[in-house]
Amino acid sequence: MSTGGRRIRRAGEVLFGRRARLRWVHLVLGGALLMPYYLLSTVGLGALNPNQGHARQLLLQMLSLFTSLPMAAVTALVPTVRGLEGAAARALCAVARPEELATGPSRSWAARWRTAAFFVLHLFTGGVVAGMTLAGAPFAVVLMFGLIGSEDLSGYWTDRFPGWMLTGPALGLAVLLLIVVSNAGCGALLARWAPRLLGPTPEERLAAAERRATVLAQRNRLARELHDSVGHALSAVGIQASAAARVLRTDPDFAAEALCAIEETARGAVAELDTVLGLLREEEDGGTGPAGPTLAGLDDLLRQLARTGVTVDAELAPGLGALPAGVSREAYRIVQEGLTNVLRHAGPAPAGLRVALDAGRLEIELTNPLGAARPSRPGGGRGLRGIGERAAALRGGSAVGPSEDGTTWRLAVWLPLGGTGG
């Protein structure tokens, strides 16, 4: 198809396609909604101006149209109008982004005034298109076909307007085309302004963004808990099971000990999973749920790591059990994830851990030698990102990377004791 043919086809779809028909229904609906206000305005103005001539009556009708719009605007301030107009525009107006239209009532005066503006625009354009359709379509039919076969009428118009029999049908087609073009233009105008006037206000967009941020923060929190707790347990179980399989025949006692460690680790993982599921029910139950492990449980964590072959030289400051619960819990998860990374990437290598209190903040430092590292898993790196997120939630910070001499890997985290969990 040529370029000209495509343009003609596109123009035909705009004027006569399904979208144009839906918008015509939407506009006629606006004209029907305008009628009570129009009739009320006509009655009021007619009582003030009785017995007027035809010209004055036409002027009165035009004036009634414009005086009915303020009444429509006042009624559109009712909150439920926004949802009704949004549903009608979404179904009939063929808006480019219907998901942006309102689905509920107005909750602020800004939303109500925007709805009133669209309601007035809908009723005004709908009244114009509906009036042209009801009056112009029959008039066009009369121009094209009404005079055919009526000698009296045709003679009357031919005597006064020579060439009427030729220009009448053309004028009738022009009237029909004017109605179609007006429908397309008014429908496109409503479709363009619907998202702006029936869409969310800046305040509603901000509130939606805050709700979205809250949901994302909760999801990230749950993801960190699952990654640091259950992920740690699964890594430990995998290494313990591998060690037990290697010495099952040569050292049954060690294999039995490894299996006992696997059982203990799995039991602890189930408890950790219950803790994470408790976070999911926190909103419903109205409670805080189990707080999870704190720095007071570091000895159990280090003993579990020792069973996998990771020897940790720990230097723990006194008084860790008296730290704020939120700080202590997040610090435990940070240490747990750091040691899990040692287990995953360095294998059974010695590690150094220092947990100290200095100038009102908690300092955590974890080091391990950079030897023959295990290959990283695809999609890894979530643990270090989770550590940074935990530290940032407490208004702290973290640093990770190789040492200056390139012999050790160092993770350093600092948390202010006055921080609050995000």
Side-chain angles (χ1 to χ4, degrees), residues 105 130 146 207 280 330:
L280 285 172
E330 295 299 311

Coordinates of all heavy atoms in Angstrom, one line a residue, residues 105 130 146 207 280 330:
P105 N -12.9 7.5 44.7 CA -13.4 8.9 44.9 C -12.2 9.8 45.1 O -11.1 9.4 45.5 CB -14.3 8.7 46.1 CG -13.7 7.5 46.9 CD -13.2 6.6 45.8
A130 N -23.6 16.0 20.8 CA -25.0 15.4 20.8 C -26.0 16.3 20.1 O -26.8 15.8 19.3 CB -25.4 15.2 22.2
G146 N -34.4 14.6 1.1 CA -35.8 15.0 1.5 C -36.5 15.8 0.4 O -37.8 15.7 0.3
A207 N 2.2 10.0 47.7 CA 1.7 9.0 48.7 C 1.9 7.6 48.1 O 2.3 6.6 48.8 CB 0.3 9.2 49.0
L280 N 6.6 -11.5 58.4 CA 5.5 -11.4 57.4 C 4.2 -11.1 58.2 O 3.3 -10.4 57.7 CB 5.4 -12.6 56.6 CG 6.4 -12.8 55.5 CD1 6.3 -14.2 54.8 CD2 6.3 -11.7 54.4
E330 N 21.1 -6.6 64.1 CA 21.6 -6.3 62.7 C 23.1 -6.6 62.7 O 23.6 -7.1 61.7 CB 21.4 -4.8 62.4 CG 19.9 -4.5 62.2 CD 19.3 -5.2 61.1 OE1 19.8 -5.3 60.0 OE2 18.2 -5.8 61.4

